[in-house]
Amino acid sequence: MQRLSFLVKKFWLFSLSGLFILIVSCQSGNDSSTAKLPGATEGERLAQTYCGRCHLPVSPDALDKETWSKHVLPAMALKLGLEVWQKTHYYYPPTAAISQVDWLKLVDYYETLAPAKPKKATPPVKLMTDWSVFKLMKPAEQTNKLATTTMVTFDSARHQLYTSNESDAGLYQWNSALTPTLIQQLPSPAVQATFTADASGSPRVQLTCIGTMLAVDRPSGELLDIGLDKASTSAPVVLASQLPRPIQSVPGDFSKDGLTDWIVCGFGHEAGALYWLKQRPDHTFEKTVIKEVAGASQVISGDFNQDGWLDFMALFAHADEGIWLFTNDHKGGFSEKNLLRFPPVYGSTSFQLVDMNKDGRLDILYTCGDNSDYSRVLKPFHGVYIFTNQGSGQYKQTYFYPINGCTKAIAADFDLDGDLDIATIAFFGDLKNNPAETFIYFEQEKPVSFIPHAIPVSQYGRWISMDASDWDHDGDVDIVLGNYAPGFLNEVRFTPTWNGFLPFVVLENRRK
């Protein structure tokens, strides 16, 4: 599970939305920058002045009039120091960061140019409903416990599946028959796992425990080291504590001293940070802040400049959203460079580095769809994107498929035809009108051209987490989907139809 995370305000994977948007032509098929709008000169200037301080400024046509006037603008007013009463009346204390005159002009700009209804996206290819290369596997329903899965992850080396949940914060191991064993009671739900072995070869797992699912500034998250050997009865080793809602921890020897460090994404809420846990010779850790902003969601490490030192890329999904490259400076720090920047209402949720076009360079597979904050309407720019590597740190959008509330994408050669396919989940999909989009398998038929299969699993759960691996050791890649069943709906007068008691399902690949 990656922003979500995800992706309700309660969840780790969901960002606190920013408030304004600029859809840049290099990142979207539709250029709706403010410069294109007639009569927008004064409003555009004010947006640049007051909104551009924290994130990309905005296009009024990104959201509908009601969403702007009743939700986003009142929230923005508070951030500018105004007082708001009943979402329609504004008061201007002397300490406000904007004058009454400018605020009224800004409100008029958005309310005048915003569309009456939310825009809708038209998929370039319609969904094909079938099972494609997959077969459904289900554990027994736990009818006494509603599914609140926060993590699903394969340990393919040991033919095991692990889950955690919000209900009891347990770490569960599932064997090939999908029978569970409680491995450890955790202080809070685990949202991400890294499998390792100790010096004797005994299996261990490092778990990122979020601390609290609530969207609050409470630094109670931990990074734990737990033994998985049946003979192990020792308590978890705490590698780091007092972390602000951490959602991912990535190991690596970033200081080239032979010791494993960790980069931790402290997503937080209003406050958060990206941390470097540097291991000391006594095997304790020194916590250093790399970037002190909320919304750190995901990290991928690698020697990206090929200088022999470990670097990493990071996704930030709060206010100033985007992907940054952090290059190791060999001196105990990192220099940062922005690679891609996204508008705050995108709600960035995941990215993966993969060579989609087989040119030897890593491209970026990206998803956005966090939809749990101020603008809880379906958005035409939510979905899965491919940004092709142009070299020299430049990326060009070459693919987009609209998926409401898209949460995560994983690329792999699922059909074993020699190219990469894509699997996506959407926690905030169009649950009422198009539940099929909550899991889509994109079969690549030719370069950057996909057949989207709606695998019929929407009735079995609401998918908040996903992992993919050759779990059954038969030579093809299987998928597991984690179900967070209750609540957090944006739809009005809608009764969920999915199974609330299945913690997960496995999509067993039948290609081999």
Side-chain angles (χ1 to χ4, degrees):
M1 169 169 156
Q2 306 283 346
R3 173 153 178 124
L4 5 123
S5 21
F6 17 171
L7 301 187
V8 290
K9 197 145 181 157
K10 190 177 180 184
F11 294 158
W12 61 269
L13 68 109
F14 303 139
S15 68
L16 174 67
S17 267
L19 304 170
F20 297 111
I21 178 171
L22 169 65
I23 305 177
V24 186
S25 58
C26 68
Q27 296 179 344
S28 172
N30 297 315
D31 182 357
S32 57
S33 68
T34 53
K36 301 289 184 179
L37 295 170
T41 304
E42 179 69 4
E44 181 182 3
R45 181 188 67 79
L46 292 170
Q48 291 280 355
T49 300
Y50 294 106
C51 312
R53 297 172 181 174
C54 300
H55 49 70
L56 290 174
V58 303
S59 170
D61 66 352
L63 302 169
D64 61 283
K65 292 180 187 295
E66 182 177 0
T67 301
W68 279 118
S69 62
K70 292 185 178 181
H71 302 287
V72 176
L73 289 172
M76 183 62 184
L78 294 173
K79 294 183 179 296
L80 290 173
L82 304 183
E83 297 177 9
V84 183
W85 182 63
Q86 294 187 345
K87 298 185 179 181
T88 56
H89 300 285
Y90 299 98
Y91 299 93
Y92 309 87
T95 55
I98 188 171
S99 69
Q100 180 178 3
V101 172
D102 280 353
W103 176 252
L104 292 176
K105 288 181 180 179
L106 197 59
V107 169
D108 182 68
Y109 168 62
Y110 286 102
E111 291 184 346
T112 299
L113 296 179
K117 299 292 182 182
K119 290 186 174 182
K120 294 184 179 180
T122 301
V125 182
K126 291 184 178 180
L127 292 176
M128 177 187 299
T129 302
D130 60 19
W131 287 96
S132 187
V133 298
F134 298 105
K135 174 185 176 182
L136 182 68
M137 295 180 63
K138 300 185 297 180
E141 292 187 22
Q142 301 178 5
T143 54
N144 63 333
K145 184 167 62 175
L146 202 60
T148 58
T149 305
T150 57
M151 178 188 76
V152 288
T153 184
F154 285 127
D155 180 7
S156 58
R158 301 175 183 88
H159 192 59
Q160 302 289 348
L161 166 65
Y162 292 87
T163 67
S164 188
N165 62 76
E166 184 185 14
S167 300
D168 62 12
L171 174 65
Y172 288 88
Q173 181 188 79
W174 304 75
N175 60 20
S176 58
L178 300 185
T179 301
T181 300
L182 177 62
I183 298 298
Q184 188 78 241
Q185 206 69 51
L186 304 173
S188 67
V191 294
Q192 183 255 339
T194 299
F195 297 98
T196 59
D198 62 20
S200 66
S202 297
R204 302 193 69 84
V205 63
Q206 291 75 46
L207 295 174
T208 303
C209 295
I210 193 169
T212 177
M213 295 296 215
L214 297 174
V216 296
D217 287 312
R218 186 185 304 162
S220 54
E222 296 178 298
L223 176 59
L224 304 179
D225 180 32
I226 295 174
L228 294 175
D229 193 284
K230 291 182 178 179
S232 176
T233 58
S234 58
V237 177
V238 179
L239 302 183
S241 61
Q242 296 183 325
L243 298 169
R245 299 177 74 223
I247 59 176
Q248 190 198 28
S249 305
V250 173
D253 184 3
F254 294 94
S255 54
K256 289 193 72 172
D257 59 1
L259 300 173
T260 299
D261 311 313
W262 294 84
I263 304 295
V264 179
C265 295
F267 185 88
H269 174 51
E270 295 285 2
L274 186 67
Y275 298 101
W276 180 12
L277 302 180
K278 184 177 180 180
Q279 187 171 178
R280 303 184 182 100
D282 64 357
H283 304 302
T284 61
F285 290 87
E286 174 187 357
K287 183 169 65 177
T288 301
V289 174
I290 299 173
K291 189 177 180 72
E292 192 169 10
V293 296
S297 299
Q298 186 184 348
V299 160
I300 298 175
S301 62
D303 183 7
F304 295 113
N305 60 357
Q306 299 180 337
D307 65 351
W309 289 73
L310 198 57
D311 315 303
F312 66 90
M313 292 186 191
L315 174 67
F316 289 86
H318 171 81
D320 192 12
E321 299 189 21
I323 297 172
W324 275 259
L325 170 64
F326 289 82
T327 303
N328 201 316
D329 65 6
H330 311 175
K331 302 175 183 178
F334 300 87
S335 61
E336 66 178 83
K337 175 186 177 182
N338 178 247
L339 301 178
L340 293 172
R341 198 175 180 204
F342 305 106
V345 291
Y346 263 43
S348 300
T349 47
S350 78
F351 81 111
Q352 185 181 358
L353 299 178
V354 285
D355 185 2
M356 294 296 301
N357 58 2
K358 300 181 182 180
D359 66 353
R361 294 186 293 206
L362 292 175
D363 309 306
I364 294 178
L365 178 66
Y366 163 82
T367 62
C368 58
D370 179 355
N371 209 21
S372 66
D373 291 293
Y374 304 121
S375 55
R376 300 186 180 188
V377 293
L378 300 178
K379 301 179 175 71
F381 40 82
H382 278 178
V384 58
Y385 294 75
I386 296 173
F387 294 94
T388 299
N389 193 333
Q390 306 294 298
S392 302
Q394 301 298 310
Y395 295 84
K396 178 183 178 181
Q397 180 186 316
T398 53
Y399 183 78
F400 168 65
Y401 192 92
I403 304 172
N404 292 299
C406 194
T407 306
K408 186 176 182 178
I410 296 177
D413 185 7
F414 291 104
D415 58 5
L416 301 180
D417 65 351
D419 56 25
L420 292 175
D421 313 299
I422 302 170
T424 63
I425 57 172
F427 187 78
F428 281 112
D430 188 352
L431 305 174
K432 185 177 182 179
N433 301 306
N434 189 22
E437 71 179 347
T438 56
F439 177 77
I440 302 175
Y441 162 58
F442 292 86
E443 174 192 357
Q444 187 167 189
E445 57 175 347
K446 55 185 177 181
V448 200
S449 178
F450 299 86
I451 301 172
H453 299 264
I455 309 300
V457 292
S458 61
Q459 62 182 304
Y460 299 108
R462 187 183 181 192
W463 315 120
I464 196 171
S465 52
M466 173 174 62
D467 195 18
S469 183
D470 184 9
W471 176 56
D472 52 10
H473 289 194
D474 66 351
D476 52 31
V477 179
D478 311 297
I479 296 173
V480 58
L481 306 176
N483 178 17
Y484 194 102
F488 307 107
L489 299 173
N490 292 335
E491 291 81 355
V492 178
R493 293 184 294 277
F494 170 66
T495 301
T497 57
W498 51 81
N499 191 319
F501 300 98
L502 282 174
F504 63 90
V505 297
V506 172
L507 297 178
E508 181 185 11
N509 197 325
R510 302 175 300 167
R511 188 61 180 170
K512 290 282 287 209

